Amino acid sequence: MVLKKRATALLVAGLLTAASTVVSAAESVNFVSWGGSTQDAQKQAWADPFTRDSKITVVQDGPTDYGKLKAMVESGNVQWDVVDVEADFALRAAAEGLLEPLDFNTIQRDKLDPRFVSDHGVGSFFFSFVLGYNEGKLGASKPVDWSALFDTKTYPGKRALYKWPSPGVLELALLADGVAADKLYPLDLDRAFKKLDTIKKDIVWWGGGAQSQQLLASGEASLGQFWNGRVYALQQDGAPVGVSWKQNLVMADFLVIPKGAKNKDAAMKFLANASSAKGQADFSNLTAYAPVNLDSVARLDSVLAPNLPTAYAKDQITLDFAYWAKNGPAIATRWNEWLVK
C-alpha cells in the first residue's frame, strides 16, 4: 500500500513537472536582435518590463542572421519568436512566406507611423543617415548636404560610407548629382555608380556603428554618411564632430515573427509592448533612435528630442523599402562587382 501511494505520488509529481515545463515553454519568447548597445536598450526598455508585467520570460539571442531565419522556417524547426530585421528584408521575407501575419487586435496599428508597419512587421525604431563631419579636419567649412561628399577641394579628406548594398549610398549619390527627392525611384544605377566613381579612391568603408564612430572621431575620415545615433553619442562624449540633417535619409528596423514560431501568441504580446507609446519612447531615450509610435513623441526627453529624426521631418527623405525588397538582390550583385573593380 505504501509502495502504491509512493508510486502514485511520483507519477503525479512527474506529471506536474512535465506540465510546468510545458507552461514554462509556452510562456517565453526568444528575442533576436543585433547585439551591442541596441539590444541592451531593447532588453532594458522592452524585455525586462514585459517580463515583469506579463510573467512571460524573454530569452535574448542573436545576432540576427537572415540565412538562419530562412533555414529555420524551411526546415520547420523554428527556434526564434521575434526577430529584429531591416525594413527591406521584412518586406522581402513576407513576400517569400517566411513570416507570420500579425494580430492587430493585439497590436495597435493605428498608433504607428504608417511608414513603419506592414501586415507582417512593426517598426522596431527608425533612424537617419546624416552627414557627419570632423570639425577639426574641416575648420570653418561646414558641409550642408550630400554634395559636399563629392567636393574634395572644399572639403578635403577621406569620406566614410556604409559598405553594405542596402538603402542609402546610391540614393545620396543621386541626390548629390541633382536628382530630386521625389524622382529617386526607380534608382538610376548607372548614374549613381558613375557619381560614386568620382570619389571612389577617397572612400573609407564602414560596416558597423563602432567603426564609423572611430573613423569620424579620429579624423581618418573628414566627413561621411553616419547613423544619427552614433554621431549624437560622439557629441555626448565631447568629440569634435558636427552634423547636417539636410536630406537626412530615413531607414528603419522591423520586428517580425518567423513562420512557425513556437510561441506566436506570446510573441504578439511582446510586439504590442515594444511598439507601445511607452516602450518606443523608453527605447528612444536610451539610444537617440526615433520612435515609430506616434504617441511617443510627447514622452521623449526634452534634451534628446532635437537630436532625433522626428525633429527634422521637413528635411527628410524616407528610403523606399519596398523598392529595395524587390530589387535588393540584383543591386547587391552589381554593388559587390563594383567594389572590387
Side-chain angles (χ1 to χ4, degrees), residues 17-51:
T17 300
S20 65
T21 300
V22 172
V23 171
S24 175
E27 294 299 305
S28 67
V29 172
N30 192 298
F31 174 67
V32 180
S33 190
W34 302 96
S37 59
T38 297
Q39 191 161 354
D40 289 344
Q42 290 171 325
K43 181 178 185 297
Q44 183 177 338
W46 304 342
D48 291 347
F50 177 71
T51 296

Coordinates of all heavy atoms in Angstrom, one line a residue, residues 17-51:
T17 N 5.5 18.1 -13.0 CA 6.8 18.7 -13.5 C 6.7 18.8 -15.1 O 7.1 19.9 -15.6 CB 7.9 17.7 -13.2 OG1 8.0 17.6 -11.8 CG2 9.3 18.3 -13.7
A18 N 6.1 17.8 -15.7 CA 6.0 17.9 -17.2 C 5.1 19.0 -17.6 O 5.3 19.8 -18.5 CB 5.5 16.6 -17.7
A19 N 4.0 19.2 -16.8 CA 3.0 20.2 -17.1 C 3.6 21.6 -16.9 O 3.4 22.5 -17.8 CB 1.8 20.1 -16.2
S20 N 4.4 21.7 -15.8 CA 5.0 23.0 -15.6 C 6.0 23.4 -16.6 O 6.2 24.5 -17.0 CB 5.7 23.1 -14.2 OG 6.7 22.1 -14.1
T21 N 6.7 22.3 -17.2 CA 7.7 22.5 -18.2 C 7.0 23.1 -19.5 O 7.5 24.0 -20.1 CB 8.4 21.2 -18.5 OG1 9.1 20.8 -17.4 CG2 9.5 21.5 -19.7
V22 N 5.8 22.5 -19.8 CA 5.1 22.9 -21.0 C 4.6 24.3 -20.8 O 4.8 25.1 -21.7 CB 3.9 22.0 -21.2 CG1 3.0 22.5 -22.3 CG2 4.3 20.6 -21.6
V23 N 4.1 24.6 -19.6 CA 3.6 26.0 -19.4 C 4.8 27.0 -19.5 O 4.7 28.0 -20.1 CB 3.0 26.1 -18.0 CG1 2.7 27.6 -17.6 CG2 1.7 25.3 -18.0
S24 N 5.9 26.6 -18.9 CA 7.1 27.5 -18.9 C 7.5 27.7 -20.4 O 7.9 28.8 -20.7 CB 8.2 26.8 -18.1 OG 9.4 27.6 -18.3
A25 N 7.5 26.7 -21.2 CA 8.0 26.8 -22.6 C 7.0 27.7 -23.3 O 7.4 28.5 -24.2 CB 8.0 25.5 -23.3
A26 N 5.7 27.6 -23.0 CA 4.7 28.4 -23.7 C 4.8 29.8 -23.3 O 4.5 30.7 -24.1 CB 3.3 27.8 -23.4
E27 N 5.2 30.1 -22.0 CA 5.2 31.4 -21.5 C 6.7 32.0 -21.6 O 7.2 32.5 -20.7 CB 4.7 31.5 -20.1 CG 3.3 31.1 -20.0 CD 2.4 32.1 -20.7 OE1 2.5 33.3 -20.5 OE2 1.6 31.6 -21.6
S28 N 7.2 31.9 -22.8 CA 8.5 32.5 -23.1 C 8.6 33.0 -24.5 O 7.8 32.6 -25.3 CB 9.6 31.5 -22.8 OG 9.6 30.5 -23.7
V29 N 9.5 33.9 -24.7 CA 9.7 34.5 -26.1 C 11.2 34.5 -26.3 O 12.0 35.0 -25.5 CB 9.1 35.9 -26.2 CG1 9.5 36.5 -27.6 CG2 7.6 35.9 -26.1
N30 N 11.6 34.0 -27.5 CA 13.0 34.1 -27.8 C 13.2 35.3 -28.8 O 12.7 35.3 -29.9 CB 13.4 32.8 -28.6 CG 14.9 32.7 -28.7 OD1 15.5 33.5 -29.4 ND2 15.5 31.6 -28.2
F31 N 13.9 36.3 -28.3 CA 14.1 37.5 -29.0 C 15.5 37.7 -29.6 O 16.5 37.5 -28.9 CB 13.8 38.7 -28.0 CG 14.1 40.1 -28.6 CD1 13.3 40.5 -29.7 CD2 15.1 40.9 -28.2 CE1 13.5 41.8 -30.3 CE2 15.4 42.1 -28.7 CZ 14.6 42.6 -29.8
V32 N 15.5 37.9 -30.9 CA 16.8 38.0 -31.6 C 17.0 39.4 -32.1 O 16.1 40.0 -32.8 CB 16.8 37.0 -32.7 CG1 18.1 37.0 -33.5 CG2 16.5 35.6 -32.2
S33 N 18.2 40.0 -31.9 CA 18.5 41.3 -32.4 C 20.0 41.3 -32.7 O 20.6 40.3 -32.9 CB 18.1 42.4 -31.4 OG 18.2 43.7 -32.0
W34 N 20.5 42.5 -32.9 CA 21.8 42.7 -33.4 C 23.0 42.8 -32.4 O 24.1 43.0 -32.7 CB 21.9 44.0 -34.2 CG 20.9 44.1 -35.3 CD1 19.6 44.6 -35.3 CD2 21.0 43.5 -36.6 NE1 18.9 44.4 -36.5 CE2 19.8 43.7 -37.3 CE3 22.0 42.8 -37.3 CZ2 19.5 43.3 -38.6 CZ3 21.8 42.4 -38.6 CH2 20.6 42.7 -39.3
G35 N 22.6 42.6 -31.1 CA 23.6 42.7 -30.1 C 24.0 44.1 -29.7 O 23.4 45.1 -30.2
G36 N 25.1 44.2 -28.9 CA 25.6 45.5 -28.6 C 24.7 46.4 -27.8 O 23.7 46.0 -27.2
S37 N 24.9 47.7 -27.9 CA 24.1 48.7 -27.1 C 22.7 48.7 -27.5 O 21.8 49.0 -26.7 CB 24.8 50.1 -27.3 OG 24.8 50.5 -28.6
T38 N 22.4 48.4 -28.8 CA 21.0 48.4 -29.3 C 20.2 47.4 -28.6 O 19.1 47.6 -28.1 CB 20.9 48.3 -30.8 OG1 21.6 49.4 -31.4 CG2 19.5 48.2 -31.3
Q39 N 20.7 46.1 -28.6 CA 20.0 45.0 -27.9 C 19.9 45.2 -26.4 O 18.9 44.9 -25.7 CB 20.6 43.7 -28.3 CG 19.7 42.5 -27.8 CD 20.0 41.2 -28.6 OE1 20.8 41.2 -29.5 NE2 19.4 40.1 -28.2
D40 N 21.0 45.8 -25.8 CA 20.9 46.1 -24.4 C 19.8 47.1 -24.1 O 19.1 46.9 -23.1 CB 22.3 46.8 -24.0 CG 23.4 45.8 -24.0 OD1 23.2 44.6 -24.0 OD2 24.6 46.3 -24.0
A41 N 19.6 48.1 -24.9 CA 18.5 49.0 -24.7 C 17.1 48.4 -25.0 O 16.2 48.7 -24.3 CB 18.7 50.2 -25.7
Q42 N 17.0 47.5 -25.9 CA 15.8 46.7 -26.2 C 15.4 45.9 -25.0 O 14.3 45.7 -24.6 CB 15.9 45.9 -27.4 CG 16.0 46.7 -28.7 CD 16.3 45.9 -29.9 OE1 17.1 45.0 -29.9 NE2 15.7 46.3 -31.1
K43 N 16.4 45.3 -24.4 CA 16.2 44.5 -23.1 C 15.7 45.4 -22.0 O 14.7 45.0 -21.3 CB 17.5 43.8 -22.7 CG 17.4 42.9 -21.5 CD 18.7 42.2 -21.2 CE 18.5 41.2 -20.0 NZ 18.2 41.9 -18.8
Q44 N 16.4 46.5 -21.8 CA 16.0 47.4 -20.7 C 14.6 48.1 -20.9 O 13.8 48.2 -20.0 CB 17.1 48.5 -20.6 CG 16.8 49.4 -19.4 CD 17.9 50.5 -19.2 OE1 19.1 50.2 -19.7 NE2 17.6 51.6 -18.6
A45 N 14.3 48.5 -22.2 CA 13.1 49.2 -22.4 C 11.9 48.3 -22.7 O 10.8 48.7 -22.3 CB 13.3 50.1 -23.7
W46 N 12.1 47.1 -23.2 CA 11.0 46.2 -23.6 C 11.0 44.9 -22.8 O 10.0 44.6 -22.2 CB 11.1 45.9 -25.1 CG 11.2 47.1 -26.0 CD1 10.8 48.3 -25.8 CD2 11.6 47.1 -27.4 NE1 11.0 49.1 -26.9 CE2 11.5 48.4 -27.9 CE3 12.2 46.1 -28.2 CZ2 11.8 48.7 -29.2 CZ3 12.5 46.4 -29.5 CH2 12.3 47.7 -30.0
A47 N 12.1 44.2 -22.9 CA 12.0 42.8 -22.4 C 11.8 42.7 -20.9 O 11.0 42.0 -20.4 CB 13.3 42.1 -22.8
D48 N 12.6 43.5 -20.1 CA 12.5 43.4 -18.7 C 11.2 43.9 -18.2 O 10.5 43.2 -17.3 CB 13.7 44.2 -18.0 CG 15.0 43.6 -18.3 OD1 15.1 42.4 -18.7 OD2 16.0 44.3 -18.0
P49 N 10.6 45.0 -18.6 CA 9.3 45.4 -18.2 C 8.2 44.5 -18.6 O 7.2 44.2 -17.9 CB 9.1 46.8 -18.8 CG 10.5 47.3 -19.1 CD 11.3 46.1 -19.4
F50 N 8.4 43.9 -19.8 CA 7.4 43.0 -20.4 C 7.3 41.7 -19.5 O 6.2 41.2 -19.1 CB 7.7 42.6 -21.8 CG 6.8 41.5 -22.4 CD1 5.5 41.9 -22.8 CD2 7.3 40.3 -22.7 CE1 4.7 40.9 -23.4 CE2 6.5 39.3 -23.2 CZ 5.2 39.6 -23.6
T51 N 8.5 41.2 -19.1 CA 8.5 40.0 -18.2 C 7.9 40.3 -16.9 O 7.2 39.5 -16.3 CB 10.0 39.5 -18.1 OG1 10.5 39.1 -19.4 CG2 10.1 38.4 -17.1

